[in-house]
Amino acid sequence: MTNPTTLSRTTGDARLAFLRRIPLFTEFQDNDFLELERLAHQGTITRGGFAYVPGDPSDQVYFLRSGRVKVARTAAGGKEWILHLVEPCENFGELALAGEDSRRNSAEALEDVAYVSIRREPFLALAGRRPTVALRMLRLVGERRRLMEARVEGVLFAGVRERLLELLLDMGRRYGVAGPEGLALRVQLSQKEIAHLIGSTRETTSSTLNQLRRDGLILIQRRRLVIRNLERIEQILKGVPQPAAPAPASSTRRAQDAPLRSRYQIA
């Protein structure tokens, strides 16, 4: 039988090791991490469950240990807009630190999720002693707002094809795994979820995806999506004409160093 004290120590050690991997806390000292570990609460959510929904108290910030989380806004008519997808070691619910009293968005588990949460007041007190934490959090909030404004601009001024290509470019860089057919995306999204990411309808998104498939840019197999030519997608977005002769396939390049930045970057 496992000793409860040993189990508690093992759990605490794992939580501490996770907190040390979060970029936000890179300048913390050992005593900061020990206090942070004491303040942190562990939790899990099964796929399809929610960390919070609109109207819940906005009184803590979350750090994702495993799985993926979808942060979204739902309109009165039920139409959803995905604001961003959260990867392990990233945070969500950070508006609790910026004065939000109740949640306006929802945070749904796309997979089984494990997380660590820290309540607002003790986190702010700890961050107050380490100004770099507050500065990095401020930059994160600002970056997510900038991306959101750019996405709104895209909905107003860019067509569905352009918005979809920008999303695929970003997903290829972040989630693409090189294979014989191209870059297979590690994250699985339905066509409805893709539509919600680019501010379109499912029908229009499906039609545009099928056209990209016919153009040889992507491969679709149920919820599995493969980007066959990431470089060509980038060239299209830059306005580079289609070459007269087909260039050798080079879709296995991850292209993190590409200069083009997408307004649909999944933060």
Side-chain angles (χ1 to χ4, degrees):
M1 182 175 179
T2 305
N3 187 309
T5 302
T6 302
L7 179 60
S8 176
R9 185 182 304 115
T10 301
T11 302
D13 290 345
R15 186 164 55 215
L16 186 59
F18 164 70
L19 292 169
R20 289 181 181 275
R21 298 204 310 272
I22 297 175
L24 191 66
F25 306 130
T26 52
E27 295 186 18
F28 269 24
Q29 305 298 317
D30 287 344
N31 60 325
D32 296 322
F33 279 113
L34 290 175
E35 183 174 357
L36 194 64
E37 190 276 329
R38 180 179 60 81
L39 297 172
H41 301 276
Q42 292 189 142
T44 59
I45 309 170
T46 56
R47 179 179 177 179
F50 291 83
Y52 53 80
V53 296
D56 283 353
S58 183
D59 56 3
Q60 54 190 325
V61 61
Y62 297 81
F63 299 90
L64 192 61
R65 294 187 65 176
S66 62
R68 290 186 179 86
V69 167
K70 174 181 71 177
V71 178
R73 176 79 58 86
T74 304
K79 185 176 181 180
E80 181 185 71
W81 193 10
I82 298 176
L83 304 178
H84 53 269
L85 301 179
V86 186
E87 291 280 295
C89 289
E90 294 179 347
N91 61 277
F92 61 101
E94 69 280 349
L95 290 181
L97 307 177
E100 182 183 63
D101 293 322
S102 59
R103 301 292 184 186
R104 300 181 63 192
N105 307 324
S106 62
E108 179 184 354
L110 292 177
E111 308 166 2
D112 290 346
V113 157
Y115 67 86
V116 164
S117 65
I118 304 174
R119 299 193 72 82
R120 174 170 50 200
E121 288 75 14
F123 181 88
L124 289 175
L126 181 59
R129 301 197 297 271
R130 293 290 175 185
T132 54
V133 174
L135 180 60
R136 288 175 181 173
M137 187 62 74
L138 180 62
R139 286 174 177 168
L140 172 66
V141 173
E143 175 68 4
R144 286 184 173 172
R145 176 166 180 171
R146 188 196 66 77
L147 289 172
M148 184 54 56
E149 290 175 348
R151 290 176 64 187
V152 171
E153 179 183 287
V155 171
L156 292 175
F157 301 113
V160 171
R161 177 181 170 87
E162 180 181 348
R163 303 200 306 265
L164 182 55
L165 287 172
E166 287 191 352
L167 175 65
L168 292 174
L169 180 66
D170 180 67
M171 292 178 69
R173 292 172 179 171
R174 290 173 60 89
Y175 305 120
V177 178
E181 298 169 313
L183 291 176
L185 300 184
R186 289 185 289 110
V187 60
Q188 291 188 341
L189 296 173
S190 67
Q191 291 187 6
K192 182 178 180 180
E193 288 170 325
I194 292 175
H196 291 168
L197 274 166
I198 64 173
S200 182
T201 65
R202 183 191 179 282
E203 293 74 17
T204 302
T205 301
S206 176
S207 174
T208 309
L209 283 168
N210 284 328
Q211 183 58 55
L212 296 180
R213 176 182 56 80
R214 290 191 291 270
D215 292 342
L217 296 174
I218 62 173
L219 177 66
I220 304 173
Q221 297 175 339
R222 295 185 180 180
R223 292 187 62 163
R224 179 173 176 265
L225 196 150
V226 178
I227 298 176
R228 306 192 69 178
N229 197 328
L230 193 69
E231 286 185 353
R232 182 58 196 147
I233 289 176
E234 183 178 353
Q235 289 170 355
I236 292 171
L237 289 170
K238 289 180 176 180
V240 178
Q242 174 73 39
S250 55
S251 57
T252 55
R253 185 174 70 89
R254 289 297 301 273
Q256 286 94 339
D257 57 340
L260 186 64
R261 186 175 180 82
S262 170
R263 65 165 63 93
Y264 295 97
Q265 177 175 330
I266 302 174

